[in-house]
Amino acid sequence: MNKILDYIEESLVCVCLIVMTSLTFVNVVSRYVFSASLSFSEEITTYLFVLLSLLGAAIAAKRGAHLGLSILTDRVGPKAGRALGIISMLFSTVFSAIICYYGVFMALNQYNKGQLTAGTQLPEWIFGSFVPIGALFVTIRFAQNLFRLIAGKEIQHEDVVAEALENAAQEEED
């Protein structure tokens, strides 16, 4: 299941980035070469950015890379730290589930009203569905972390900035 989720998340992130970069590049070239902007490019790029942000949050949750304030957990024992972690993951799971829940109603409301996007005149619900889809992935990842903590296991933590600084220092030494 995790490998399937990883594949879906990473594939969607790649597609979003490729489409966003391509549209933005074509729009810039169009503005400077033809003095005409593609009206739909900013709209689609904005909607894809919403999906990309939520999928990025899900990937960060999976990797334990979300920012956290550890001033409290550093000052308490392991049992209290674990309890605080469970509470934190519980709130995170509930919050992202609420976003998913209301996102479904938002997309359904857009569908029922027949709303169209301003630039592309496509149904708004297509892009509105990016919110519950992305929030679903975030909810799943936070729930996985919650169940890991309840089972007494550690959450994988990844500190990308610290690793980058260590790699840069190592490269300077070499």
Side-chain angles (χ1 to χ4, degrees):
M1 169 93 166
N2 271 343
K3 289 189 186 251
I4 295 169
L5 279 175
D6 290 348
Y7 179 78
I8 293 170
E9 286 169 347
E10 291 168 7
S11 297
L12 285 173
V13 164
C14 287
V15 168
C16 286
L17 279 173
I18 289 169
V19 171
M20 288 171 63
T21 304
S22 300
L23 274 175
T24 303
F25 176 75
V26 168
N27 193 33
V28 168
V29 169
S30 175
R31 267 188 280 155
Y32 285 104
V33 174
F34 303 114
S35 297
S37 179
L38 304 173
S39 61
F40 64 89
S41 69
E42 290 180 30
E43 183 177 79
I44 291 176
T45 301
T46 302
Y47 290 127
L48 288 175
F49 186 70
V50 170
L51 181 59
L52 181 70
S53 298
L54 288 166
L55 291 171
I59 292 170
K62 171 187 74 171
R63 295 179 178 176
H66 275 280
L67 291 176
L69 186 61
S70 63
I71 191 167
L72 209 57
T73 55
D74 289 346
R75 299 193 191 289
V76 297
K79 286 185 180 182
R82 188 170 150 264
L84 289 172
I86 289 171
I87 291 168
S88 173
M89 284 301 125
L90 180 64
F91 280 127
S92 299
T93 304
V94 169
F95 178 74
S96 57
I98 289 170
I99 293 172
C100 184
Y101 177 80
Y102 283 107
V104 167
F105 286 109
M106 177 190 73
L108 287 173
N109 189 32
Q110 292 168 337
Y111 178 80
N112 290 332
K113 289 184 176 182
Q115 292 177 321
L116 300 175
T117 60
T120 59
Q121 293 299 301
L122 291 171
E124 183 78 36
W125 69 267
I126 294 171
F127 301 110
S129 66
F130 289 175
V131 172
I133 290 168
L136 178 65
F137 281 98
V138 177
T139 303
I140 290 168
R141 294 305 188 173
F142 278 135
Q144 286 176 334
N145 286 343
L146 175 62
F147 292 132
R148 253 186 229 113
L149 285 173
I150 290 171
K153 299 176 184 173
E154 289 290 318
I155 296 175
Q156 173 188 348
H157 287 284
E158 184 177 296
D159 193 344
V160 178
V161 175
E163 289 176 17
L165 291 172
E166 288 175 14
N167 290 342
Q170 184 111 19
E171 287 177 10
E172 284 182 13
E173 289 176 9
D174 294 342

